[in-house]
Amino acid sequence: MNSEKTFKRFIDEIQILQTQLSSACEITIICDKSGRIFYINDPKLVLCLEKSIGQAFESVFPLQKPNGSKFLLCEITKTGNQEQDIFKLEYQGETLDYRIKVTPLLDNQNEKLGFVISLLDVAECKQTEERVKAIHTELAQMLLYAQQSRMVLLSVIEDQKQAEAELQLAAKVFEQSNEGIIITDSTHNIIKVNKAFSKITGYEESDALGNNPRMLSSGEHDKEFYHAMWKSINEQGYWQGEVYDRRKDGSLYPELLSIRQVKNKNGRVTQFIGVFSDITERKADEANIKQLANYDTLTGLPNRVLFADRIDNALSKARRNYEQLAVLFIDLDRFKNVNDTCGHKVGDALLIEFSERMVSVIRSEDTASRHGGDEFLLVLPSVDTNGAAHVAQKLLELGGKPYLIGQHELNVTLSIGIAMFPDDGKTFDNLATFADIAMYRAKQEGSDAYCFFTTEMQDNSVRSMALENSMRRALERNEFHLNYQPQISLETGQIIGMEVLLRWQHPQLGLIPPTEFIPIAENSGQILAIGEWVLKSAARQLMIWIANGMEPIKIAVNISAIQFRHPRLLDTIIRIIEETGIPPHLLELELTEGVAMHNPQEVANVMQKLHEQNIHLSIDDFGTGYSSLSYLKRFPVYKLKIDRSFVMHITENSEDRAIISVVINLAKSLGMRAIAEGVETEEQLLFLKENGCNEIQGYYLSKPLSAEQFKIFVDKFTESPE
């Protein structure tokens, strides 16, 4: 009778332990201390388990080391718990890679009972939930096999001592699992938990035994969730999914949980086994990956990918409901100055604070995105032009308030372009492009403003793109040429120089105005190559005239902001001087007032280096910008050029006359010369001469001339200067 009870108890324990072992995430082989197989959990290899039981591990698993030698269990077990490199197994014509872990199992007296060998398939290692599902599928196969192989178990339990040792091995596996295991009876009372359960939940075994697993409930799931879970368990015998549970300390944690029924031979449910793992880190990694994939790392706003998805949804809704939608393209004016003067950390802090201000003025259904650098996009569903203008005005007001960042008080303005669906475009790409075009129009009109897109802007944009593309071949096709406008001294009446003016004769579009193509050249970066060509060509032409008998006179060449700030400006000019042979004192570089006042200290350093090469410098369009007199007096400037806008109305506008008089006197007090451009009438000439202006140029004297025309003009003027 005792033998029958022992047999029954053994069978029940084996069924439970097989279920636990089959929940593992790898192939598990249990060997006795002589290395013979007692148990195989085989989720991948289709082995003849009946023949494998009792066989030596190496005969069933002929593994090879990376160097080609055979794997021997005896070599590993000498040193205890070992995790080895990848081994290869030839199986059914296929080479499989496995990583091996050998763990000795000890009794209470530390006597060796056997070994647990884990084989992890490197190529097919999957997420925890996939492995758990595959293992439970294997469990069903193992239970079926156990029923079919009852005679194998009967032969095993004939030796009572061996059976008890095997139960000890299985119990060790149960305790050493990294996944929490909870076993209940058929009435859902907890009868067994392992150490991993306590480690994950914080509940000791004594806290859990006799209680219902509801003790772990987080309250995050409703009745429908649990109803669906138990429906699956009762009908299919199995359920798996993600659950939020609560630890003993009250903290929530996510887990991957699988629950399976255990039935006896009569089909009656005797136990429920739950296997779970804490997936907090995995969830955090997934959230981090999602954040990086969809949000800007600096501002936390949606990036282009997420923004495109949201605006597609907004456009679909607008089409269904026949609604309008606005896209705003926002740019922080002169943001580069902040980075250049205060550093990128301050610039980043400014972008973050602006983002927060922007989000504060929009609705929950609106989406803001950082498009890149200092550019932002807004999509405003269900708004008309009035609503879009209202938001734009709020952004201008709020974005224009001072930013207190560290020790810096910063002031920036915004330029905003607006495109409307469906009037301006029906796709995100079109709307974003048109809003961008409108934003640039707002910049051209003085910044700190918003502008709606118009078809005229689109035509201009298409033309600008065409000109930019044509410009890339204009130099090699000799489409550029130079004109020269004479400059005379009002003191001597002699020609003392000329301003070099660039012209572009497009083969299809005709003569392109400099006011149109120069900004395109600057924005596309082509101004560097074009500017160098202008300097070199003008210098060569002057040397040709001098070689043909012309008196040496100065050539004044305009230098753009991009050219002046380029680190190789001085090297380029020196090289041109050496190649052409032009005397440096005959070369005059004209800088606009805006260029000169941008980062004045750096400008002063560059000017000083040019001055040391005996190159003259002048400030062009003086009076149209904002000059710091404290810096102006430190600049080694040779000449101030009075802008034509003041000269134009000199005879009827007293304010223009006053400004011109001030500029002339300022030049004299600073030891500079004054030249007025745009002189077209004798009255203008007389006023300038009476007020002490040194030099003039303009149509009254001569329009811009080709090289041949300029030579003829100089020859005639020399013969008869009157």
Side-chain angles (χ1 to χ4, degrees):
M1 178 64 91
N2 290 335
S3 176
E4 292 179 358
K5 289 182 178 180
T6 301
F7 172 76
K8 185 176 183 302
R9 179 174 59 83
F10 177 78
I11 293 300
D12 290 342
E13 292 286 348
I14 287 296
Q15 287 180 340
I16 294 174
L17 293 175
Q18 283 178 330
T19 302
Q20 298 163 6
L21 290 171
S22 297
S23 298
C25 297
E26 62 272 320
I27 301 175
T28 303
I29 304 102
I30 303 176
C31 297
D32 61 19
K33 60 185 178 182
S34 66
R36 296 188 178 280
I37 297 174
F38 159 70
Y39 172 83
I40 301 177
N41 168 32
D42 174 27
K44 174 176 175 57
L45 302 176
V46 185
L47 296 171
C48 181
L49 298 181
E50 181 177 358
K51 293 181 180 180
S52 301
I53 301 299
Q55 297 294 317
F57 174 80
E58 291 88 345
S59 65
V60 178
F61 295 93
L63 298 162
Q64 288 187 345
K65 298 180 181 180
N67 60 11
S69 61
K70 293 184 178 179
F71 170 82
L72 297 176
L73 180 61
C74 61
E75 293 181 356
I76 303 304
T77 59
K78 291 177 182 179
T79 58
N81 189 346
Q82 298 287 332
E83 184 166 350
Q84 297 296 319
D85 292 329
I86 296 173
F87 292 81
K88 297 185 180 297
L89 174 64
E90 295 290 338
Y91 177 72
Q92 293 186 348
E94 182 180 1
T95 300
L96 305 176
D97 292 335
Y98 285 91
R99 191 181 298 278
I100 302 176
K101 184 176 182 181
V102 180
T103 306
L105 294 175
L106 307 176
D107 61 14
N108 294 333
Q109 285 74 38
N110 287 328
E111 292 294 329
K112 189 178 295 183
L113 299 173
F115 307 94
V116 175
I117 303 170
S118 298
L119 298 181
L120 179 63
D121 188 332
V122 175
E124 296 185 358
C125 183
K126 298 181 178 178
Q127 297 291 341
T128 304
E129 58 268 30
E130 294 176 349
R131 291 189 285 108
V132 171
K133 185 175 181 179
I135 289 169
H136 279 294
T137 301
E138 184 64 21
L139 171 61
Q141 298 174 357
M142 289 294 293
L143 290 175
L144 178 61
Y145 174 75
Q147 293 172 357
Q148 296 172 346
S149 306
R150 182 179 181 83
M151 295 304 297
V152 176
L153 295 176
L154 289 174
S155 66
V156 174
I157 65 172
E158 289 176 357
D159 187 343
Q160 183 68 32
K161 185 176 180 180
Q162 181 66 27
E164 291 176 355
E166 291 168 354
L167 289 174
Q168 290 181 29
L169 287 174
K172 288 289 183 181
V173 174
F174 174 79
E175 286 300 324
Q176 294 178 11
S177 172
N178 290 325
E179 295 176 308
I181 301 175
I182 180 171
I183 304 173
T184 74
D185 59 20
S186 59
T187 60
H188 308 296
N189 294 315
I190 299 173
I191 59 175
K192 189 76 172 174
V193 295
N194 68 347
K195 290 181 179 179
F197 169 89
S198 299
K199 182 179 180 180
I200 295 173
T201 67
Y203 287 100
E204 298 297 332
E205 183 179 23
S206 59
D207 298 328
L209 294 181
N211 284 313
N212 190 291
R214 284 196 298 269
M215 64 185 291
L216 302 173
S217 176
S218 64
E220 295 292 312
H221 306 287
D222 55 21
K223 290 182 179 180
E224 287 74 14
F225 175 84
Y226 289 110
H227 176 76
M229 181 179 74
W230 282 106
K231 185 174 185 293
S232 175
I233 295 171
N234 294 330
E235 293 179 357
Q236 303 176 26
Y238 175 82
W239 179 87
Q240 177 182 297
E242 292 184 3
V243 178
Y244 274 91
D245 272 350
R246 191 178 299 276
R247 296 185 178 91
K248 186 176 181 179
D249 62 9
S251 61
L252 293 177
Y253 68 96
E255 67 179 26
L256 180 64
L257 171 65
S258 62
I259 302 175
R260 182 174 290 277
Q261 291 177 338
V262 177
K263 297 181 179 181
N264 62 16
K265 62 181 180 180
N266 298 321
R268 184 174 63 86
V269 176
T270 57
Q271 290 95 15
F272 294 95
I273 298 179
V275 180
F276 63 94
S277 57
D278 186 345
I279 56 174
T280 301
E281 290 187 4
R282 196 194 78 183
K283 284 288 188 182
D285 291 341
E286 290 175 352
N288 187 44
I289 291 172
K290 182 179 179 181
Q291 180 73 21
L292 293 174
N294 295 293
Y295 293 89
D296 177 53
T297 55
L298 178 64
T299 63
L301 295 175
N303 62 14
R304 294 189 185 193
V305 176
L306 181 58
F307 184 78
D309 179 67
R310 290 189 178 179
I311 196 173
D312 284 343
N313 292 334
L315 286 171
S316 297
K317 180 182 176 183
R319 293 187 189 99
R320 290 194 305 270
N321 299 333
Y322 300 98
E323 295 177 338
Q324 288 184 294
L325 175 148
V327 172
L328 277 64
F329 200 111
I330 305 164
D331 182 82
L332 275 64
D333 299 321
R334 293 174 290 280
F335 175 75
K336 185 177 182 299
N337 294 350
V338 176
N339 279 339
D340 291 344
T341 57
C342 302
H344 288 276
K345 286 186 178 180
V346 174
D348 288 348
L350 173 60
L351 292 175
I352 293 172
E353 185 170 340
F354 169 73
S355 300
E356 294 171 351
R357 294 186 186 184
M358 177 172 59
V359 171
S360 71
V361 303
I362 61 176
R363 305 166 300 175
S364 59
E365 61 266 35
D366 302 330
T367 299
S369 169
R370 185 182 177 210
H371 197 60
D374 61 335
E375 296 177 338
F376 297 83
L377 278 170
L378 273 180
V379 57
L380 309 177
S382 306
V383 299
D384 55 15
T385 54
N386 291 332
H390 177 69
V391 173
Q393 187 59 44
K394 287 171 63 178
L395 287 172
L396 291 176
E397 295 171 359
L398 193 60
K401 292 182 178 179
Y403 296 81
L404 299 177
I405 299 175
Q407 299 178 346
H408 303 277
E409 180 176 335
L410 304 174
N411 292 277
V412 296
T413 57
L414 309 178
S415 294
I416 304 175
I418 307 172
M420 299 297 299
F421 170 88
D423 296 339
D424 298 329
K426 294 180 173 56
T427 67
F428 166 59
D429 289 340
N430 284 342
L431 291 169
T433 298
F434 296 156
D436 188 14
I437 292 172
M439 182 272 292
Y440 275 103
R441 174 60 64 88
K443 276 189 178 296
Q444 292 171 0
E445 294 178 354
S447 302
D448 194 21
Y450 64 86
C451 182
F452 282 90
F453 173 78
T454 65
T455 54
E456 177 190 357
M457 293 180 193
Q458 184 180 10
D459 295 339
N460 292 338
S461 178
V462 171
R463 177 178 169 88
S464 295
M465 185 174 295
L467 290 177
E468 179 180 335
N469 292 332
S470 297
M471 192 182 297
R472 299 188 186 280
R473 302 288 300 276
L475 275 177
E476 62 182 82
R477 292 172 176 169
N478 296 318
E479 295 175 7
F480 289 119
H481 64 271
L482 299 180
N483 281 352
Y484 307 88
Q485 188 168 38
Q487 299 172 334
I488 67 168
S489 169
L490 293 180
E491 300 162 337
T492 65
Q494 300 297 313
I495 297 177
I496 44 84
M498 75 199 83
E499 181 178 8
V500 180
L501 302 170
L502 178 63
R503 298 291 183 262
W504 182 14
Q505 186 69 39
H506 193 282
Q508 284 82 40
L509 302 176
L511 189 64
I512 310 298
T515 53
E516 182 177 9
F517 75 79
I518 292 296
I520 296 174
E522 291 179 332
N523 292 333
S524 65
Q526 298 182 69
I527 193 65
L528 294 174
I530 294 173
E532 182 175 343
W533 178 85
V534 171
L535 272 170
K536 187 180 296 185
S537 299
R540 283 177 175 167
Q541 184 60 61
L542 178 62
M543 296 311 294
I544 291 173
W545 284 329
I546 293 175
N548 291 331
M550 182 187 290
E551 289 293 324
I553 56 176
K554 288 184 175 65
I555 55 170
V557 181
N558 290 280
I559 298 293
S560 75
I562 295 176
Q563 286 177 277
F564 188 77
R565 294 168 192 157
H566 195 274
R568 297 187 61 83
L569 171 67
L570 184 61
D571 294 338
T572 300
I573 292 175
I574 291 175
R575 175 169 48 81
I576 291 174
I577 289 173
E578 293 174 349
E579 291 177 359
T580 62
I582 183 175
H585 71 278
L586 296 182
L587 179 60
E588 180 180 317
L589 303 181
E590 291 189 357
L591 310 176
T592 64
E593 191 174 7
V595 173
M597 290 302 114
H598 174 79
N599 196 350
Q601 185 56 55
E602 183 178 341
V603 169
N605 294 336
V606 176
M607 283 185 171
Q608 186 59 39
K609 292 177 181 178
L610 292 169
H611 180 69
E612 290 171 358
Q613 298 296 323
N614 205 20
I615 298 170
H616 288 173
L617 298 165
S618 63
I619 304 297
D620 194 12
D621 302 333
F622 190 79
T624 60
Y626 173 78
S627 292
S628 170
L629 297 183
S630 63
Y631 276 105
L632 186 60
K633 68 181 182 180
R634 292 165 52 187
F635 291 160
V637 172
Y638 166 74
K639 186 186 299 182
L640 298 181
K641 177 175 279 191
I642 303 170
D643 187 68
R644 67 178 66 250
S645 62
F646 300 118
V647 176
M648 186 184 308
H649 303 293
I650 198 172
T651 56
E652 64 268 10
N653 192 309
S654 60
E655 292 181 355
D656 286 345
R657 290 196 296 271
I659 291 173
I660 290 175
S661 298
V662 169
V663 173
I664 293 172
N665 291 327
L666 176 63
K668 288 181 180 179
S669 64
L670 294 176
M672 304 175 186
R673 297 183 66 80
I675 180 172
E677 65 177 353
V679 178
E680 299 181 356
T681 67
E682 184 176 2
E683 290 81 2
Q684 294 169 348
L685 171 64
L686 292 175
F687 176 85
L688 292 167
K689 189 172 184 179
E690 290 172 358
N691 282 270
C693 185
N694 304 109
E695 303 165 7
I696 65 164
Q697 72 179 76
Y699 275 71
Y700 179 75
L701 179 64
S702 172
K703 67 179 182 179
L705 305 169
S706 66
E708 295 78 9
Q709 292 171 333
F710 185 82
K711 178 64 168 62
I712 295 172
F713 176 85
V714 171
D715 290 342
K716 289 183 177 180
F717 191 89
T718 303
E719 294 172 0
S720 177
E722 296 300 326

